[in-house]
């Protein structure tokens, strides 16, 4: 094995592990709209908002009063 093979292999394994950690979810709002997220939304009790990353990579928040359900895909 060359000196480049081992680091490349370790990086590939690392990316595979990180990809396996994300949990795509769907947030259903009270008005029936659905928002797909890259990862599981985190609830901030202090502010009362769910924080999540949208499919386009943008971070977003939504008030818990607007959320009907949060389901993992």
């Amino acid at each position: 094995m060359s000196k480049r093979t081992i680091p490349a292999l370790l990086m590939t394994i690392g990316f595979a592990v990180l990809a396996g950690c994300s949990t795509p979810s769907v947030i259903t709002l009270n008005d029936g709209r659905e928002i797909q997220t890259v990862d599981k939304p985190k609830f901030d009790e202090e502010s009362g908002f769910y924080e999540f990353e949208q499919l386009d990579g943008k971070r977003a928040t939504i008030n818990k009063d607007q959320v009907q359900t949060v389901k993992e895909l």
Side-chain angles (χ1 to χ4, degrees), residues 14-73:
F15 287 133
V17 168
L18 288 176
C21 292
S22 65
T23 307
S25 301
V26 174
I27 300 172
T28 305
L29 304 179
N30 291 332
D31 62 5
R33 291 184 294 156
E34 292 184 341
I35 302 171
Q36 292 186 355
T37 67
V38 174
D39 53 1
K40 183 176 180 182
K42 294 174 180 65
F43 181 68
D44 182 3
E45 290 189 30
E46 188 173 307
S47 67
F49 282 79
Y50 282 97
E51 300 174 351
F52 56 93
E53 182 178 345
Q54 297 176 343
L55 295 179
D56 60 3
K58 294 180 183 176
R59 301 292 302 167
T61 59
I62 192 158
N63 191 316
K64 73 170 185 166
D65 295 335
Q66 296 177 324
V67 176
Q68 185 176 10
T69 60
V70 177
K71 295 180 187 175
E72 293 180 5
L73 293 178

